[in-house]
């Protein structure tokens, strides 16, 4: 398998664990992924989610970068309408200055939260409408070609932190193509528009100073284990946890009640979110990823593993690196 592999670290806070333990796990994963040959690790901005510790994305990146030496680290992504472009330029300009040639900045326009949390973030409900203009303003700060006369990002000015447009619909594909930026599609949880979005992006792509030709990163769920049964058990447990988290509204469910949630229309809809999932032994997963790369017309895959223990996640990523020929 020649397709570069990257990791989406969900910075999971497991049952009975703390955010401190989650951060330690992220450091361990990054240190091992660096040895195993993964290209990059990204962290996503989420808010008011008790099982995800990556809300202060740039701070987490800084912490992990200080404990690693070469692997690229970045946001996958920062939800730009939650912030001013200048603030994000300063944050990621600082990261790039401290850790040269290792920082990525993926940008999305979703809130990364619910409506009440949006209000707590002081986010204007209409802020997503200016996303294209905000991306260009941010890019101006990072390249040293500010669009706001007399305003520069320090640090940030001239750091040229590479931007990536994240998306799960045709909007992001069209924007990434128009701006000549790489495009990352969230097919690990929003599979429906994958092929149409990639087709439009490649068709309409305009070269830019950052990128000469299209570059597509596609997300895919991965769970690798020594046996197919073990991998399937880890995956099924992860799906069950997701359904309870998203539909349970904080309640505790018996196994029977969880089964009922899974079988409900809402539960089946959530099951469709993980349509693109490679689960099984190393060779089975490699075969699936080879197929998925062609299906997605991807230049790079970013994989997410949601096993409940750090040991299972590490083992999954290690087995994948071995079967994919990544190990250095």
């Amino acid at each position: 398998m020649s397709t570069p592999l990257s990791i989406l670290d969900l910075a999971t806070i497991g049952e009975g664990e703390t955010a401190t333990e989650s951060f330690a796990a992220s450091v361990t994963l990054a240190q091992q992924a660096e040895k195993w040959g993964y290209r990059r690790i990204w962290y996503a901005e989420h808010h008011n989610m008790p099982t995800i510790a990556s809300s202060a994305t740039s701070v987490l990146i800084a912490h992990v970068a200080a404990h690693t030496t070469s692997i690229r680290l970045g946001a996958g992504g920062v939800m730009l309408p939650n912030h001013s472009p200048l603030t994000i330029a300063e944050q990621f300009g600082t990261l790039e200055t401290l850790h040269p040639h290792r920082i990525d900045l993926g940008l999305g326009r979703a809130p990364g939260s619910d409506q009440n949390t949006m209000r707590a973030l002081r986010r204007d409900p209409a802020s997503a409408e200016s996303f294209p203009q905000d991306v260009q303003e941010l890019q101006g700060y990072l390249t040293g070609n500010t669009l706001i006369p007399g305003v520069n990002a320090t640090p940030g000015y001239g750091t040229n932190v590479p931007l990536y447009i994240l998306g799960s619909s045709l909007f992001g594909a069209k924007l990434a193509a128009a701006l000549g930026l790489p495009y990352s599609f969230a097919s690990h949880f929003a599979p429906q528009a994958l092929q149409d979005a990639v087709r439009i992006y490649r068709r309409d792509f305009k070269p830019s100073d950052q990128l000469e030709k299209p570059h597509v990163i596609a997300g895919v769920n991965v769970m690798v284990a020594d046996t197919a049964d073990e991998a399937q058990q880890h995956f099924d447990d992860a799906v069950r946890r997701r359904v309870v988290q998203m539909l349970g509204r904080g309640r505790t469910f018996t196994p029977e009640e969880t089964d009922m949630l899974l079988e409900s229309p809402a539960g089946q809809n959530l099951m469709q979110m993980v349509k693109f999932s490679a689960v099984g032994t190393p060779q089975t997963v490699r075969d699936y990823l080879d197929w998925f790369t062609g299906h997605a017309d991807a230049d790079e895959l970013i994989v997410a593993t949601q096993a409940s223990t750090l040991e299972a996640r590490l083992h999954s990523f290690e087995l994948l690196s071995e079967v994919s020929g990544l190990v250095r």
Side-chain angles (χ1 to χ4, degrees):
M1 181 176 180
S2 58
T3 306
L5 292 179
S6 297
I7 293 173
L8 177 64
D9 180 359
L10 299 170
T12 302
I13 303 174
E15 186 174 351
E17 294 181 347
T18 64
T20 299
E21 292 169 302
S22 173
F23 296 145
S26 288
V27 168
T28 299
L29 172 57
Q31 290 171 335
Q32 295 303 312
E34 192 168 72
K35 296 177 183 177
W36 295 330
Y38 286 91
R39 173 172 284 189
R40 68 183 98 241
I41 299 179
W42 281 358
Y43 309 92
E45 177 187 346
H46 292 282
H47 298 283
N48 194 31
M49 294 189 178
T51 59
I52 297 178
S54 52
S55 54
T57 313
S58 60
V59 180
L60 178 56
I61 293 168
H63 177 65
V64 176
H67 290 82
T68 51
T69 59
S70 61
I71 193 166
R72 296 194 67 88
L73 301 165
V78 161
M79 300 299 106
L80 190 55
N82 292 345
H83 314 274
S84 75
L86 178 60
T87 297
I88 297 303
E90 291 168 341
Q91 290 178 4
F92 281 80
T94 298
L95 287 169
E96 176 64 22
T97 302
L98 291 170
H99 307 283
H101 312 300
R102 295 184 57 201
I103 303 300
D104 299 328
L105 178 48
L107 301 168
R109 64 178 183 135
S113 59
D114 55 35
Q115 294 295 320
N116 284 336
T117 308
M118 280 179 61
R119 286 191 286 272
L121 289 167
R122 304 297 189 268
R123 172 172 165 150
D124 182 345
S127 57
E129 296 176 9
S130 64
F131 181 65
Q133 293 78 21
D134 288 346
V135 171
Q136 291 174 292
E137 182 181 335
L138 171 59
Q139 187 175 45
Y141 293 133
L142 293 171
T143 60
N145 299 304
T146 181
L147 301 182
I148 310 299
V151 179
N152 290 289
T154 306
Y157 182 94
T159 54
N160 294 297
V161 176
L163 303 183
Y164 297 75
I165 299 297
L166 277 57
S168 57
S169 67
L170 305 186
F171 178 90
K174 294 174 182 177
L175 179 62
L179 298 181
L181 295 175
Y183 180 52
S184 181
F185 191 89
S187 36
H188 61 294
F189 73 85
Q192 290 83 0
L194 171 63
Q195 289 184 302
D196 286 342
V198 172
R199 176 181 54 80
I200 288 171
Y201 169 69
R202 291 194 179 278
R203 182 194 69 195
D204 296 345
F205 179 84
K206 297 178 181 178
S208 66
D209 290 341
Q210 179 179 324
L211 195 64
E212 293 183 356
K213 59 182 182 179
H215 185 83
V216 172
I217 304 174
V220 58
N221 300 290
V222 168
M223 188 63 241
V224 196
D226 296 315
T227 68
D229 287 345
E230 184 182 0
Q232 192 64 52
Q233 185 63 56
H234 281 304
F235 181 75
D236 290 345
D237 288 346
V239 170
R240 292 168 72 86
R241 287 195 305 274
R242 175 181 285 191
V243 169
V244 169
Q245 288 164 7
M246 298 187 72
L247 300 180
R249 298 179 181 177
R251 289 180 54 201
T252 299
F253 288 84
T254 65
E256 292 76 15
E257 289 172 330
T258 302
D259 288 339
M260 292 178 63
L261 272 181
L262 283 167
E263 294 168 4
S264 70
Q268 289 300 300
N269 184 56
L270 288 175
M271 291 292 291
Q272 282 299 308
M273 292 171 65
V274 294
K275 174 182 177 181
F276 295 126
S277 298
V279 181
T281 59
Q283 190 58 52
T284 298
V285 169
R286 172 174 174 160
D287 291 344
Y288 183 96
L289 293 183
D290 284 339
W291 167 82
F292 178 72
T293 300
H295 178 78
D297 195 11
D299 302 293
E300 179 179 343
L301 300 182
I302 188 162
V303 299
T305 291
Q306 299 184 54
S308 59
T309 67
L310 174 61
E311 291 73 20
R313 293 195 296 274
L314 290 174
H315 193 48
S316 178
F317 286 126
E318 182 175 21
L319 291 175
L320 179 59
S321 72
E322 291 172 351
V323 77
S324 303
L326 296 185
V327 176
R328 293 170 178 169

